[in-house]
Amino acid sequence: MDVKGLGAIVTGGGSGMGATTARALAEAGAKVAVLDVNEEGAKKVAEEIGGLAFSCDVASAEQAEAAVAAAREKHGPARVLVNCAGVAPAARIVGRNGPMELAEFQRVISINLIGSFNMMRLAAADMIAAEPVNEDGERGVIISTASIAATEGQLGQAAYAASKAGVIGMMLPAAREFARFGVRVMTIAPGLIATPMLLNMPQEVQDNLASQVPFPKRFGHAEEYSTLVMHIVGNPMLNADSIRLDGGMRMQ
């Protein structure tokens, strides 16, 4: 799908993989709405690419509905949705101080899984109601961000792994539902990407983690994520699947 002149929404677009994806879409000619709970970060990216910025908690029905409606008014219906918003706290189910707080588990599921579904349902509704953009009858593409932790969650990742497994799990039924309308659904499962969360770790820890990647022996770059996003957007045969972006890593 050629995105030139079409609306696009990127959640978590104020930094990291979301920011690079917003830039890549804008460079390809899309009209991008940047959503993030960090309003300052969203505004900075939006100003850079000539897009729109919205402060939005993706787990909130009201905030998401308002942001999607405002983006639609300015850019038309979004033909691309990229879900990058997410959190990755670490906590054992039963730690030194007792069982994990249920509210913390619920928070991770709410942002990572429910937030992705929330944005999907809203963007898909707009895509389905819009006219096709090419001879294939394509109306849009939805790309959500999972993680290799969805299948290889480590100690302390119960909430995160469960949320990302859910993101992968809802991809196929969504793709099947939307296929007759010309809307594709894909998931990207990154491994170790050089985001602030990783780069703030001690250098010794970073080196140890990077050494576990078969090739290349380094963290992935956010730009490598956005490159994959743009390939998915442009390749109509990519549908109903999850692509690992991990340099061959398998978490221990």
Side-chain angles (χ1 to χ4, degrees), residues 144-221:
S144 294
T145 307
S147 167
I148 61 174
T151 55
E152 298 149 29
Q154 296 182 300
L155 282 171
Q157 287 189 333
Y160 182 70
S163 70
K164 295 303 187 178
V167 169
I168 291 177
M170 72 178 176
M171 173 265 300
L172 181 56
R176 285 173 165 165
E177 179 180 341
F178 301 150
R180 68 190 181 98
F181 302 108
V183 175
R184 295 184 288 123
V185 183
M186 288 287 292
T187 301
I188 297 175
L192 298 174
I193 306 296
T195 61
M197 180 180 68
L198 283 180
L199 297 179
N200 285 333
M201 291 180 176
Q203 190 60 50
E204 181 181 353
V205 175
Q206 292 187 42
D207 293 342
N208 178 263
L209 288 171
S211 70
Q212 298 176 34
V213 182
F215 184 82
K217 285 192 173 297
R218 59 168 174 80
F219 294 154
H221 300 312

Side-chain angles (χ1 to χ4, degrees), residues 89 91-93 100 105 108-109 153-163:
R92 291 182 181 237
I93 299 170
M100 178 184 184
F105 185 90
V108 178
I109 298 295
Q154 296 182 300
L155 282 171
Q157 287 189 333
Y160 182 70
S163 70

Side-chain angles (χ1 to χ4, degrees), residues 56-68 114 118-119 121-122:
C56 179
D57 174 0
V58 294
S60 164
E62 295 77 13
Q63 290 185 35
E65 288 167 8
V68 170
I114 295 176
N118 189 23
M119 295 302 304
R121 72 184 181 95
L122 298 172

